[in-house]
Amino acid sequence: MFNELYRILYDHYGDLKWWPSSSDDETVIGCILTQNTSWKNVEKSIINLKNNGLLNLNAIKNMDAEILKKYIMPSGFYNQKAVYLKNIADAVIDSYGTLDNMKNRDIKNISNFLKNIKGVGQETLDSIMLYALNYPVFVVDAYTKRFLKRYYNQNFTFDMIQNYALNDLKKDISMLKNLHAMIVELSKTYCKSTPQCSECFLRTGCKYHNSIKNSDR
Ligand code: SF4
């Protein structure tokens, strides 16, 4: 199911090379900052931290919370996000020292560890697991649910999407990373809240588009 979808999306998008970051620490910081805001706003905060040499978990752990709030202000909800960033920086450094030390371990243990950090919800957790720590999970966000419902004319649960993605892509980490990236890209350009079906390259195989087309006859 998803392997055929992957192929069609890949023919159009290729490798989008997600997550757009230069280190695992930056990925984790980005995963927290992107909650409830656009990536454009996150980028401004990332630049603020980078320009001051603070784009890593050690710096986040040790810096003054008020200064952190100032740097991440462009991402919105900065009081809350400063707490969340400090929570995850403290937890990772106190328990593992570095993100590298969290890789190649029992996936359930790492997932449970992250789940217990305040500020790490399901989507953030899966993004960190996949993009920063290279565990085979799939990120199921609102874009993914909306797109799959339209494309297959089927209501998928979170577990169904996870299972299809992991089985069909054979737990291939780079494919799991890229499938989510391609769905986000598609959802921002074509499969928006009002879908732009007439311009969409998926329209021939899309059940939603075909049902609209048939009802117009
Ligand atoms: S054809 Fe329309 S509904 Fe289907 S994926 Fe494209 S934009 Fe979404």
Side-chain angles (χ1 to χ4, degrees):
M1 197 170 191
F2 285 7
N3 38 13
E4 172 65 5
L5 175 65
Y6 185 93
R7 192 191 55 72
I8 303 170
L9 288 167
Y10 188 86
D11 284 348
H12 186 85
Y13 288 115
D15 184 357
L16 291 174
K17 304 194 187 310
W18 268 38
W19 187 281
S21 72
S22 53
S23 70
D24 295 333
D25 282 35
E26 181 179 334
T27 302
V28 169
I29 293 166
C31 286
I32 298 286
L33 291 179
T34 200
Q35 294 171 358
N36 302 309
T37 195
S38 72
W39 187 251
K40 258 190 198 152
N41 294 333
V42 176
E43 277 175 330
K44 292 176 195 157
S45 300
I46 296 271
I47 289 168
N48 285 344
L49 292 169
K50 190 178 257 173
N51 287 347
N52 289 283
L54 299 167
L55 194 54
N56 62 77
L57 295 182
N58 255 313
I60 299 282
K61 177 176 168 60
N62 292 314
M63 73 191 293
D64 181 86
E66 293 308 310
I67 296 174
L68 177 58
K69 286 179 195 172
K70 195 180 90 186
Y71 289 141
I72 65 168
M73 204 174 274
S75 307
F77 305 101
Y78 54 89
N79 286 317
Q80 191 182 54
K81 288 180 183 176
V83 173
Y84 292 173
L85 281 173
K86 284 214 163 265
N87 286 349
I88 195 161
D90 286 347
V92 168
I93 291 163
D94 293 349
S95 299
Y96 291 95
T98 65
L99 289 170
D100 266 350
N101 290 335
M102 294 176 70
K103 294 178 181 175
N104 302 311
R105 289 177 180 258
D106 181 80
I107 187 168
K108 277 215 173 98
N109 286 348
I110 296 299
S111 178
N112 284 336
F113 169 77
L114 289 171
K115 206 177 276 177
N116 286 324
I117 301 171
K118 191 163 168 21
V120 179
Q122 188 66 52
E123 192 181 325
T124 304
L125 183 148
D126 289 334
S127 299
I128 292 171
M129 292 290 283
L130 179 63
Y131 290 105
L133 301 174
N134 289 322
Y135 285 99
V137 298
F138 186 59
V139 180
V140 181
D141 61 0
Y143 283 153
T144 308
K145 286 189 197 144
R146 182 177 72 191
F147 160 63
L148 293 176
K149 184 171 193 280
R150 287 173 178 165
Y151 190 73
Y152 292 108
N153 189 28
Q154 191 177 330
N155 277 317
F156 292 89
T157 63
F158 174 90
D159 286 340
M160 283 165 77
I161 298 173
Q162 276 278 348
N163 289 338
Y164 275 126
L166 296 188
N167 291 334
D168 294 352
L169 304 183
K170 300 186 170 31
K171 297 192 176 180
D172 183 305
I173 308 281
S174 42
M175 288 174 87
L176 289 164
K177 287 181 177 178
N178 204 37
L179 180 59
H180 174 62
M182 294 189 293
I183 290 174
V184 170
E185 200 53 44
L186 177 87
S187 302
K188 285 182 176 171
T189 46
Y190 301 107
C191 209
K192 303 195 253 195
S193 48
T194 304
Q196 311 294 306
C197 299
S198 59
E199 296 150 33
C200 179
F201 61 95
L202 290 177
R203 65 185 180 278
T204 320
C206 177
K207 293 230 163 81
Y208 175 86
H209 172 65
N210 288 327
S211 68
I212 299 289
K213 213 173 63 178
N214 292 336
S215 69
D216 284 348
R217 279 181 185 156

